[in-house]
Amino acid sequence: MPYIRSIKIKNMKNLITLALVLVTLTSYSQSDWKPSEQQRKEWSKQIYEDISNDNETVLSKFDIDSLELELLTLINNLRRDNNLKPLSIKDNLIVYSDKWCEILMNTKRLKHSNLSDNNIKGENIYGTFSFGTIRLTDDMVKDTPTQIFNGWLSSKLHKSNMLLDNISNVGISIQIDVDENYDITSTMVVN
């Protein structure tokens, strides 16, 4: 399942609902009263509907790898439009990018890594940290690569990193953390 690498889903509401039903059923089973078969079916149906409804906004159509590939395509299109050769994915840069992206997600702070010690010629970072009760939808996920790319494109330094002419390899990472809100981080490293 491609989401495991970069998406965390936390849904305490479903766990609490299930726990309350189990406690209720346990307490009733220890007394003389027992729920009817119809009541059990209704409870099961309600739990299933609650879980299904809550999970409708979970990423159902997109995996992180395809979002990262779309972001790379946007970068390579920009490079092509500027008469530069396309970038190729390199495994060690993906590992580096994934680790730094995870650090950004865990700290909820945007900062650059130590480029000079890792033979990296350019790095772009991106972060969106939501507050309140903003639900992540499939449309929002679909637009994530474009939002990241446009954010980098609007920054002079990040744009220049995408247009470096003496690079050929890239590592791109996107992480999405889904809770009642959502957070998105992304990194691009090149050499």
Side-chain angles (χ1 to χ4, degrees):
M1 186 161 150
Y3 300 120
I4 299 296
R5 178 171 65 86
S6 300
I7 298 176
K8 302 171 189 172
I9 300 170
K10 303 169 192 163
N11 197 337
M12 292 301 295
K13 179 181 173 188
N14 291 343
L15 291 175
I16 292 169
T17 302
L18 184 58
L20 288 172
V21 169
L22 290 174
V23 167
T24 304
L25 289 174
T26 303
S27 64
Y28 283 130
S29 68
Q30 294 173 355
S31 68
D32 291 337
W33 181 87
K34 296 204 185 226
S36 68
E37 188 61 31
Q38 181 63 28
Q39 286 172 318
R40 286 184 185 178
K41 285 180 182 178
E42 287 175 16
W43 288 343
S44 294
K45 181 180 175 189
Q46 185 60 48
I47 292 170
Y48 176 77
E49 286 175 359
D50 285 348
I51 292 171
S52 297
N53 289 338
D54 283 346
N55 289 335
E56 282 178 357
T57 59
V58 172
L59 314 179
S60 58
K61 297 178 184 175
F62 304 96
D63 63 56
I64 294 299
D65 293 335
S66 67
L67 297 175
E68 292 167 346
L69 185 59
E70 185 178 338
L71 181 54
L72 177 59
T73 300
L74 292 169
I75 293 167
N76 279 335
N77 287 343
L78 174 68
R79 291 180 62 78
R80 183 195 66 226
D81 293 346
N82 285 274
N83 298 316
L84 297 169
K85 67 180 181 178
L87 299 175
S88 300
I89 294 174
K90 191 163 184 184
D91 289 341
N92 68 324
L93 293 178
I94 292 230
V95 169
Y96 185 90
S97 184
D98 282 344
K99 286 181 182 178
W100 193 249
C101 200
E102 186 175 335
I103 289 169
L104 297 178
M105 181 65 75
N106 290 337
T107 62
K108 306 279 191 257
R109 287 187 49 207
L110 294 179
K111 63 180 183 174
H112 288 277
S113 66
N114 186 351
L115 304 179
S116 60
D117 289 348
N118 295 291
N119 193 28
I120 293 174
K121 296 179 181 175
E123 175 184 64
N124 288 357
I125 59 174
Y126 174 90
T128 297
F129 305 106
S130 65
F131 300 96
T133 54
I134 301 170
R135 302 293 295 207
L136 186 65
T137 64
D138 279 346
D139 288 339
M140 294 166 82
V141 173
K142 180 183 175 195
D143 293 339
T144 296
T146 303
Q147 288 178 356
I148 294 168
F149 177 76
N150 287 339
W152 290 342
L153 198 57
S154 67
S155 162
K156 185 177 179 180
L157 181 58
H158 289 130
K159 181 179 179 181
S160 69
N161 284 339
M162 292 187 289
L163 294 174
L164 289 171
D165 62 357
N166 60 345
I167 58 171
S168 56
N169 300 309
V170 66
I172 293 177
S173 180
I174 297 174
Q175 289 199 5
I176 301 175
D177 184 359
V178 181
D179 197 343
E180 286 185 17
N181 304 313
Y182 67 93
D183 299 321
I184 299 171
T185 57
S186 181
T187 55
M188 176 201 83
V189 291
V190 293
N191 72 5

